[in-house]
Amino acid sequence: MKNAGQLSRRRILAAAGSVGLATLTGCGGGDDGGDSKDLSKKQNGAMKEYRAGRQFKASRPLSFSVLHNNNPNYPLKDGWLFWKELTRRTGVTLKPVAVPLSDYEKKRSVLIGAGDAPFLIPKTYHPSEVAFVSSGAILPVSEYVHLMPHFQDKVKRWRLEPELDSIRQSDGNYYLLPGLHEKVKSGYSLSLRTDVLDKLGLSPPRTWDEVYDVFAAIRAEYPDRYPFSDRWSTNTPYPAGALFRYLGQAYGVKAGWTYDNISYDSKAGEFVFTGAMDGYRAMVEYLRKLVAEKLVDPESFTQTDDEALQKLLGEKSFAISANPQELVQSYRYNLEKQVKGSKIEMVPVPLGPAGPVVLGGARLENGVMISSKALKSDTFVAMMQFVDWLWYSDEGQRFAKWGVQGTTYTYAGGQYKLEPGISLMGSDPDAPKDLQKDYGFFNGVFTYGGSWALVSSSFSPDEKKFEDAMAQRRELPVDPAHPLQSVEQEQATLWDTPLRDHVIQNTLKFCLGKRPLSEWDAYVAELRAKNMDRLVDLHNKARQRFQKENG
């Protein structure tokens, strides 16, 4: 095995284009126990001349198992056109192992731990994959991207090497094939009842100071209700994950779904502990103020999505975290049925002390882990080619998103248009068919990433307005590469989880007033007792080593 430094971005850029199967090899552990991985016996069904821009078609019928995050908005159906057409185009039949959305992360961990995971494990958010690295249960996929010309091509053209370097693990490899975006797509923000704002003579807030003022005005008008009651707090390691994600961004810190113990302080030129940063404390203080003044429902951090939605629909609250899909499908559609004259809009992420920024690394999205068992299959090369085509080729991404031209959509003048009688996310409430529910396209398991032209092709007017505003903001630098060596990674893993748990638990205690902010220094001391400084030192030494070895 080469050392971590040698497994640099040079490897990612190597050998883009056509792959000669007779000499396919990879580095790393695996079923033969050696460093060299001869893939010459794992080519069953593979294409001999597979390259970027070419349609993948297996040389014989194949099937692969895939973990399927079963979204209640479009429950899995065996009869979806997606399955049938995918097999027709690629010669591959996917065998989904359905897991409820509400139980996905837990069930995924159980299946991987028991050795029963499907070959393909999508819908995984970094750094969730780290927990499975030391056991050897998932593949160091960076060692096999030479089989994936579309993936390599996008990484090179979109200059995504720093982002990929930032997710490398113990041996310098990354263990997740992330969704790749040409441009940053922000996705989540605050949504508010704008008809209520109009009634009170208020404008949609542009800063978090204005959010406070708006919430205070709503509370004054409706003293028996909470202006804001939130969701995305259950079945996630970080309650109120969306809220903390976009609020943290305003303070220049990784929080909520993007939380990582380690952050790079570009001014200091070193890694620091996220949960002890001044910006993190300022974020917590702000949210504590909102909870203390009863502007935020304290149940936001424990309630289910349905409970949060019912409060919004019952006018017990007037604001909630949103993404464009939920805004249209859940909030606006249901409010219009229940509350006459209601209007709800999603605002660009309000600005905070960090200014008009988005966090670095945001061009990577959730992605696919691959079970180590897959490497033992004689169809491994074909499987990697298939993954490359479906998740990373322009054509595969277009298919997964829009379906079959002439059947589900038409394309002309650079515009995608659904065929009559088909709706997407409420675009035509009277349509008898739905692109997701009835055909299986635009499924979050298979649809993410891509060129801006494709990503933005489905934007509603709301989303286009939101993303256009967010696109004007400056992307913060990606954290520099700092891959840990295997012994360091094992040690870091032992420290990481207790530290993360302590941060999340105390973040909520501070926000809810169960622990006074005067105890912040004591909280930091507790983190030190849990090896915070030693973890930070590990990462700084790894950064220095990687920098020295790669220039």
Side-chain angles (χ1 to χ4, degrees), residues 405-422:
Q405 189 165 359
T407 301
T408 57
Y409 76 96
T410 55
Y411 180 77
Q415 300 292 317
Y416 293 84
K417 186 177 180 181
L418 290 170
E419 288 284 4
I422 301 177

Side-chain angles (χ1 to χ4, degrees), residues 261-414:
N261 280 328
I262 300 298
S263 292
Y264 190 70
D265 184 335
S266 56
K267 291 181 181 176
E270 63 181 8
F271 282 100
V272 296
F273 191 81
T274 309
M277 292 173 70
D278 290 343
Y280 196 91
R281 176 177 179 165
M283 175 195 73
V284 169
E285 287 177 335
Y286 173 83
L287 202 50
R288 170 62 196 139
K289 179 182 178 182
L290 264 59
V291 172
E293 297 185 24
K294 298 185 178 180
L295 307 181
V296 170
D297 181 359
E299 292 182 359
S300 294
F301 307 99
T302 53
Q303 67 191 353
T304 65
D305 290 1
D306 281 345
E307 288 169 332
L309 181 59
Q310 289 312 310
K311 288 178 181 178
L312 179 74
L313 300 180
E315 296 196 278
K316 294 179 179 178
S317 67
F318 303 95
I320 189 171
S321 290
N323 62 36
Q325 181 172 338
E326 288 297 304
L327 175 72
V328 174
Q329 280 190 307
S330 297
Y331 309 163
R332 186 175 293 157
Y333 177 75
N334 288 303
L335 272 170
E336 285 173 353
K337 288 198 299 184
Q338 292 185 220
V339 183
K340 188 176 180 180
S342 64
K343 294 179 182 177
I344 187 164
E345 305 290 344
M346 181 168 139
V347 298
V349 174
L351 299 176
V357 299
V358 292
L359 292 179
R363 289 194 296 154
L364 300 187
E365 201 174 345
N366 70 82
V368 183
M369 294 188 296
I370 295 184
S371 169
S372 295
K373 295 185 302 182
L375 187 59
K376 300 177 182 179
S377 168
D378 67 353
T379 60
F380 176 74
V381 170
M383 186 195 75
M384 295 301 290
Q385 292 176 341
F386 167 77
V387 168
D388 179 64
W389 181 83
L390 177 57
W391 274 281
Y392 298 101
S393 76
D394 291 345
E395 190 57 40
Q397 291 175 333
R398 185 181 301 115
F399 164 73
K401 182 164 187 164
W402 287 106
V404 181
Q405 189 165 359
T407 301
T408 57
Y409 76 96
T410 55
Y411 180 77

Side-chain angles (χ1 to χ4, degrees), residues 228 230-247 255-259 280 283 287 298-305 321 500-501 503-509 511-512:
F228 179 83
D230 211 20
R231 58 177 298 183
W232 285 311
S233 287
T234 55
N235 304 302
T236 173
Y238 203 125
L243 169 62
F244 277 108
R245 170 180 165 172
Y246 62 80
L247 176 60
W257 288 335
T258 57
Y259 180 80
Y280 196 91
M283 175 195 73
L287 202 50
E299 292 182 359
S300 294
F301 307 99
T302 53
Q303 67 191 353
T304 65
D305 290 1
S321 290
R500 179 186 300 269
D501 290 347
V503 169
I504 294 172
Q505 289 165 11
N506 282 278
T507 297
L508 295 185
K509 286 180 181 178
C511 290
L512 292 170

Side-chain angles (χ1 to χ4, degrees), residues 20-49:
L21 292 179
T23 58
L24 288 173
T25 59
C27 163
D31 56 332
D32 65 2
D35 280 347
S36 177
K37 194 65 63 251
D38 181 4
L39 301 180
S40 60
K41 296 180 181 178
K42 304 179 189 297
Q43 302 172 23
N44 196 348
M47 285 179 64
K48 292 192 183 303
E49 294 296 329

